[in-house]
Amino acid sequence: MNKYATFQGRIEDARFVTGKGYYATDLKAEGMVHGAVARSQVAHGQITAIDIAAAEDFPGVLAVITSEDLTVDGPTHMPCGPNLPMTNGEPAFQAARPILAVDRVRHVGQAVVFVVAETEAAARDAAALIEIEVDEIDAVTEAIDAQAEGAPVIHPEVPDNIAYVWSRGDHDAAQAAIDAAPRKVSLASHVSRIAVHSMEPRAALAEIVDGRIYLQSCSQSPHAIKGQIAAIFGEEPANVRVKTHDVGGSFGMKIAAYLEDVLCVYAAKKLGRPVKWVSDRSEAALVDDHGRDMRFDGTLAFDDNGALLGLRVHWDINIGAFLQGRSLGGLGNLGGISGPYRIGPTAADAHGCYTNTHTTGPYRGAGRPEATYCIERLMDLAAHDLGVDPFEFRRRNLVPPSAMPWDTGFMFEYDCGEFEANMIQAAKRSDLKGFPARREAAKARGKLRGLGIANPIEVAGGPFTKPGGDHCRITVTEDGGAIIQPGAMSVGQGLETAFSDMVSAKLNIPREKIAYLQGDTDDLPGGRGSGGSSSAPVGGSVLVVTMDKVIEKGRDMASEMLETAPADIEFDAGEYRVVGTDRRVTLPEVARAAAEREETLDGQGHFVPTKVTFPNGCHICEVEIDPETGVLAIERYTVVEDVGRVLNATLLSGQMHGGIAMGVGQTLLERMFYEPGTAQPLTGSFMDYAMPRADMLPDMNFTHREVPTKVNPTGAKGVGEAGSVGALAASMNAVIDALRPLGVTHMEMPCTPERVWAAIQAARP
């Protein structure tokens, strides 16, 4: 049960649905000018000439900025820094992305020239006049192909195109277990590349105010961007302010500074005027960080009774043309290949590979869905190899609650969880026993019906296994209201509602009198923003800590007003009371008394969990396929999820629905695809990149189970990525289960009608 509040509707929705939100494209500043980027239309080659004359002469143009300008008085490259080894054992070559291309382009859409003009139209028109001549070189788009002998070399310093090598676990023990096992299954598969396509495209407005850099952007992590901008420009962090208002979706893609942010700051310094840049949809498809694009080759060993004995996985990760900190985003989450299972010795290694594609970074789950997909596909294959029902095979290998805390032996240690209870409840809610009858009924109608199961578990509140902290400030106002200034960022999850309701319930302040002010780095010494399913376990916990600080500060003030010792005063329902008497003062009265003394009733909190958390659940998906057309429909989707203590059940449901839609969308439709040889993007618009739609999904049969964690004061484990972590595996397993009677044991995503139909035709005699 939610101990904080009863849901009354989302506070922020009133302004969102009436067009009163305030997004980055709404930003204006006196004297503001506009930027546009001229980008390479070639994926790979040497730049032989850049003709900017026509752009310089275009009416309204104020500056045409090239890499030569940046070399003189500006930053030249985005931060890099990953220090993993390459295959030769040397530290990773720092293939940092140039802010503007210098002498070579390495992917379509790479920024070459930045144009600043009085209007956005003039900037875009002038940028279109710039002629970029490139001596084209063969390109490579896939991580596997990039490692092949004779493949085009992206960076001369890295002839094998392997940017880094990563390894975890006991490889000798895992291999020995596999070699000795009576049974084993193997699978090589690809979790395809995804374009994020957030509802709000990226945008930035930079200006210099009182000698300080002031950057406004649509970001999920303003404090992180503040530190990056300060480092890039060699400024003290105090000389940089970053502010974010409403954000229309981020999903990990907006977690860090982009080169367009840097170009706006540079141009603002150079011109002495505010500079704004807004992405269009075509740019977003090309140069917003992409997600996923991870191939694995895994082997799972087990005995004749179905007990798991060991697991080994190799990953090939397409990081794109350049190395960045975000290139490593999925690695720390690959511990999820252990699942909620007792597996035995486990080991994994990865090659991060350069290709002539745009860089990849975190995308809802950031390695978690990929890891779950890996183990859950192998679990299905193992169950069928053994001739055991996939549900039963999973159930018998679960870690029991009595074994907690459970060290997987591979990266993660689970603090708590009731995995079998999740499965049992999901089986009942999905009518798992009735599935054979539904399959037969579908067969009678000429359809193929399949059921897929996934037991996802993920790490949250990190990054990875290192707990991350957050800040918050709460101020009680003289009129009995409150101001919340969180370090967390609401980017669509509903944190304004969740946090306001928590403050309202604990401090007895009407929610309509609570102001929620997020995203300004001048308000707090730090803030983790949004990411890693951290808002509830970390952001919610620091909110609780901060409320306690407000209460304690108010207690000291109330003790003077009531002329008694602080220890004799209790706080409840917005009042300070002298224990055992009817003497009391209200929170607003204390705030007014503080104001009379030119003080403020407020509190600033900081909180770091003792450990990370592990949300987990059971997803059961049913699909039906028309074998004559390959058309596939999701008929049922059931989820039981343990996200610890639930702070707001309605917001939880919304987060699960959105995450599941993203996972199913990747299974059925989504893939960012490049033409082999030229690396020209073939899915660069909504004409050819298909997004999930409402009519693709049934009503979600969703519920939660609360197994509170003890590593934070809320007991919450996190939810933001849970839906996507399980949905990819459950839906893919369902598709393949539907095709299995035809002899199909695997196919690659996305399962479009054409690809499903082709798989059926290939399987038929």
Side-chain angles (χ1 to χ4, degrees):
M1 295 292 293
N2 176 10
K3 64 180 181 179
Y4 292 104
T6 301
F7 189 69
Q8 306 171 53
R10 290 193 2 154
I11 295 170
E12 49 268 75
D13 285 351
R15 70 175 186 274
F16 290 163
V17 301
T18 57
K20 296 178 181 177
Y22 192 61
Y23 296 92
T25 50
D26 297 317
L27 299 174
K28 294 179 176 61
E30 186 176 352
M32 183 175 73
V33 296
H34 300 264
V37 182
R39 302 183 183 277
S40 174
Q41 298 182 33
V42 173
H44 197 195
Q46 294 294 129
I47 298 174
T48 57
I50 303 174
D51 187 349
I52 63 174
E56 289 179 315
D57 293 339
F58 195 83
V61 168
L62 302 171
V64 179
I65 299 167
T66 68
S67 61
E68 292 182 0
D69 298 299
L70 298 181
T71 301
V72 172
D73 61 355
T76 58
H77 289 76
M78 296 299 290
C80 191
N83 57 3
L84 293 174
M86 297 187 291
T87 51
N88 61 8
E90 295 293 321
F93 171 65
Q94 300 298 289
R97 187 188 327 183
I99 294 167
L100 293 174
V102 180
D103 56 3
R104 190 171 181 175
V105 292
R106 290 179 168 86
H107 67 87
V108 172
Q110 185 172 349
V112 181
V113 182
F114 189 58
V115 178
V116 184
E118 293 286 358
T119 67
E120 183 179 359
R124 289 188 178 277
D125 289 345
L129 295 175
I130 294 171
E131 296 183 6
I132 305 167
E133 296 182 12
V134 178
D135 186 1
E136 196 165 354
I137 305 171
D138 286 345
V140 63
T141 63
E142 299 290 338
I144 294 293
D145 297 337
Q147 298 174 71
E149 186 176 353
V153 174
I154 315 303
H155 299 278
E157 297 85 354
V158 190
D160 60 3
N161 288 324
I162 298 176
Y164 63 77
V165 175
W166 173 91
S167 181
R168 293 291 186 277
D170 189 334
H171 288 264
D172 291 340
Q175 189 60 54
I178 291 169
D179 291 341
R183 291 176 178 266
K184 60 182 74 69
V185 291
S186 297
L187 178 66
S189 187
H190 181 211
V191 182
S192 54
R193 175 176 287 241
I194 292 295
V196 177
H197 288 304
S198 57
M199 186 176 292
E200 179 195 17
R202 287 189 296 115
L205 172 61
E207 54 188 314
I208 308 303
V209 179
D210 297 328
R212 298 174 72 206
I213 295 172
Y214 180 30
L215 174 66
Q216 299 182 78
S217 70
C218 49
S219 162
Q220 66 188 80
S221 204
H223 278 90
I225 291 178
K226 170 183 174 174
Q228 291 160 4
I229 292 294
I232 289 169
F233 284 93
E235 296 278 358
E236 291 295 324
N239 290 333
V240 178
R241 179 188 184 189
V242 175
K243 188 171 183 179
T244 296
H245 307 272
D246 291 325
V247 178
S250 57
F251 312 114
M253 181 267 291
K254 296 178 181 175
I255 203 166
Y258 278 78
L259 62 87
E260 293 86 1
D261 301 316
V262 176
L263 287 168
C264 285
V265 172
Y266 173 78
K269 291 166 72 75
K270 188 179 185 73
L271 298 174
R273 295 176 68 176
V275 178
K276 183 177 181 178
W277 170 83
V278 178
S279 172
D280 64 22
R281 285 291 174 194
S282 296
E283 283 183 296
L286 290 178
V287 299
D288 288 354
D289 281 357
H290 294 158
R292 314 283 191 241
D293 209 346
M294 298 172 65
R295 294 183 178 273
F296 71 85
D297 188 346
T299 299
L300 179 66
F302 51 103
D303 64 20
D304 292 331
N305 296 317
L308 302 179
L309 300 176
L311 173 66
R312 185 197 65 231
V313 183
H314 171 76
W315 296 87
D316 291 295
I317 303 172
N318 188 344
I319 67 170
F322 300 104
L323 188 62
Q324 56 180 355
R326 301 195 295 281
S327 300
L328 310 183
L331 296 178
N333 295 322
L334 291 183
I337 62 172
S338 297
Y341 308 115
R342 295 166 293 174
I343 288 183
T346 301
D349 63 276
H351 287 172
C353 302
Y354 292 117
T355 66
N356 293 113
T357 63
H358 186 55
T359 52
T360 51
Y363 172 71
R364 201 167 191 169
R368 300 168 178 89
E370 296 92 323
T372 296
Y373 174 71
C374 172
I375 184 58
E376 292 297 331
R377 285 294 299 121
L378 288 167
M379 291 293 284
D380 253 27
L381 291 173
H384 287 285
D385 179 83
L386 194 64
V388 175
D389 176 74
F391 182 92
E392 173 60 22
F393 183 75
R394 287 172 167 84
R395 190 197 62 77
R396 67 175 62 169
N397 281 292
L398 293 171
V399 177
S402 60
M404 297 294 175
W406 175 261
D407 187 343
T408 67
F410 180 73
M411 298 179 67
F412 293 165
E413 181 179 307
Y414 307 147
D415 63 315
C416 62
E418 298 175 1
F419 309 136
E420 185 176 22
N422 293 341
M423 290 194 71
I424 291 171
Q425 188 169 355
K428 291 179 180 178
R429 292 179 67 91
S430 68
D431 184 23
L432 187 63
K433 291 182 178 179
F435 173 72
R438 293 192 293 276
R439 173 173 257 175
E440 286 302 311
K443 184 178 180 181
R445 290 183 280 106
K447 303 294 179 67
L448 302 169
R449 189 138 182 151
L451 182 144
I453 303 169
N455 288 328
I457 188 165
E458 56 166 316
V459 63
F464 316 128
T465 56
K466 181 181 179 181
D470 205 358
H471 295 258
C472 182
R473 177 180 287 116
I474 297 174
T475 303
V476 179
T477 57
E478 297 175 55
D479 63 352
I483 301 169
I484 305 172
Q485 294 168 290
M489 272 294 301
S490 184
V491 293
Q493 313 98 306
L495 295 188
E496 181 172 351
T497 294
F499 287 2
S500 295
D501 283 349
M502 290 172 68
V503 170
S504 176
K506 186 162 185 173
L507 301 185
N508 198 32
I509 295 173
R511 74 189 321 226
E512 64 270 14
K513 299 188 73 172
I514 296 174
Y516 180 89
L517 305 178
Q518 69 170 13
D520 191 336
T521 61
D522 274 6
D523 288 344
L524 294 168
R528 69 171 292 145
S530 172
S533 299
S534 63
S535 296
V538 184
S541 292
V542 73
L543 188 76
V544 171
V545 169
T546 306
M547 285 191 285
D548 290 340
K549 286 182 174 291
V550 170
I551 291 169
E552 288 308 305
K553 185 174 182 179
R555 192 191 312 275
D556 291 336
M557 295 178 177
S559 71
E560 297 181 22
M561 298 170 68
L562 296 169
E563 299 180 337
T564 190
D568 295 331
I569 295 176
E570 62 181 0
F571 178 84
D572 183 56
E575 293 182 334
Y576 293 96
R577 305 176 188 130
V578 178
V579 177
T581 75
D582 60 358
R583 296 169 57 210
R584 65 190 65 196
V585 292
T586 66
L587 200 62
E589 288 172 337
V590 175
R592 287 192 288 272
E596 290 173 0
R597 297 189 301 185
E598 298 184 347
E599 297 180 16
T600 303
L601 178 52
D602 64 355
Q604 180 172 305
H606 178 244
F607 172 77
V608 181
T610 56
K611 293 182 179 179
V612 293
T613 59
F614 292 93
N616 59 87
C618 180
H619 293 223
I620 300 179
C621 176
E622 286 188 41
V623 305
E624 200 165 275
I625 296 172
D626 181 347
E628 299 306 315
T629 63
V631 171
L632 186 157
I634 307 288
E635 294 293 337
R636 291 180 171 218
Y637 203 101
T638 304
V639 188
V640 175
E641 196 78 22
D642 165 24
V643 296
R645 185 73 69 200
V646 175
L647 304 185
N648 188 305
T650 303
L651 296 178
L652 163 63
S653 180
Q655 285 290 288
M656 289 299 300
H657 283 209
I660 291 167
M662 296 175 90
V664 169
Q666 185 166 3
T667 292
L668 301 186
L669 298 169
E670 294 187 64
R671 184 187 178 191
M672 191 68 192
F673 185 70
Y674 292 84
E675 183 180 50
T678 68
Q680 287 291 328
L682 301 180
T683 49
S685 76
F686 290 145
M687 292 294 291
D688 30 51
Y689 187 98
M691 297 286 284
R693 302 178 298 274
D695 63 0
M696 289 173 45
L697 295 165
D699 289 338
M700 302 281 185
N701 184 354
F702 168 70
T703 192
H704 61 268
R705 296 186 65 258
E706 290 190 327
V707 182
T709 181
K710 296 181 180 180
V711 306
N712 65 61
T714 65
K717 295 179 179 177
V719 65
E721 292 152 309
S724 66
V725 176
L728 190 65
S731 55
M732 281 298 299
N733 277 342
V735 173
I736 296 161
D737 185 61
L739 299 175
R740 185 171 280 107
L742 303 180
V744 177
T745 59
H746 183 69
M747 70 173 294
E748 295 296 324
M749 62 186 77
C751 301
T752 61
E754 185 275 332
R755 298 180 80 176
V756 172
W757 183 86
I760 292 171
Q761 300 311 305
R764 283 175 169 167

